[in-house]
């Protein structure tokens, strides 16, 4: 009934840019934060960026100054602009919505591969 669908992943060279999109279908009334996570091969899923309903943002130290999280309420979409990409950014990126009452919601992921 409620789904998050990521898009925009792909293969880029180091130093390049990508913009990930997360479209939210259905109705969610108790969102308190939106975020992006990533999981590289052999590693745990980690938080990349968070955007609260109040407009505050927080970023992993590894992406500060390079990534920007934003949203478009009219399109029910959250974005992750990724600049100056590095090979260590290679991972599957997942969209996440945190709720006040319900459990968190996850997208199926989109692959980002950064070549040297």
């Amino acid at each position: 009934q409620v789904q998050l669908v990521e898009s925009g992943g792909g293969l880029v060279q180091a130093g390049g840019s990508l913009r990930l999109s997360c479209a939210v279908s259905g109705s969610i009334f108790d969102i308190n934060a939106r975020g992006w996570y990533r999981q590289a091969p052999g590693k745990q899923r980690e938080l990349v960026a968070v955007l609260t309903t109040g407009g505050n943002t927080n970023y992993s130290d590894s992406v500060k100054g390079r990534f920007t999280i934003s949203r478009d309420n009219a399109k029910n979409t959250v974005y992750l602009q990724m600049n100056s990409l590095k090979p260590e950014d290679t991972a599957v990126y997942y969209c996440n919505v945190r709720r006040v009452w319900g459990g968190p919601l996850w997208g199926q992921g989109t692959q980002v591969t950064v070549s040297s």
Side-chain angles (χ1 to χ4, degrees), residues 12-15 38 40-41 66 84-91 93 112-116:
V12 298
Q13 293 185 348
R38 67 186 182 187
R66 300 188 298 119
S84 302
L85 284 162
K86 304 175 180 180
E88 53 262 42
D89 295 319
T90 295
Y93 284 71
V112 172
T113 302
V114 184
S115 63
S116 301

Side-chain angles (χ1 to χ4, degrees), residues 47-89:
L47 177 67
V48 176
V50 173
L51 174 64
T52 69
T53 302
N56 295 318
T57 59
N58 191 31
Y59 298 92
S60 168
D61 288 341
S62 64
V63 306
K64 284 182 179 177
R66 300 188 298 119
F67 291 10
T68 302
I69 186 171
S70 63
R71 64 186 175 98
D72 186 331
N73 290 337
K75 297 181 179 179
N76 292 323
T77 301
V78 60
Y79 303 97
L80 183 68
Q81 178 67 46
M82 305 185 296
N83 298 324
S84 302
L85 284 162
K86 304 175 180 180
E88 53 262 42
D89 295 319

Side-chain angles (χ1 to χ4, degrees), residues 10-23:
L11 173 64
V12 298
Q13 293 185 348
S17 299
L18 285 173
R19 189 181 74 164
L20 306 184
S21 299
C22 175

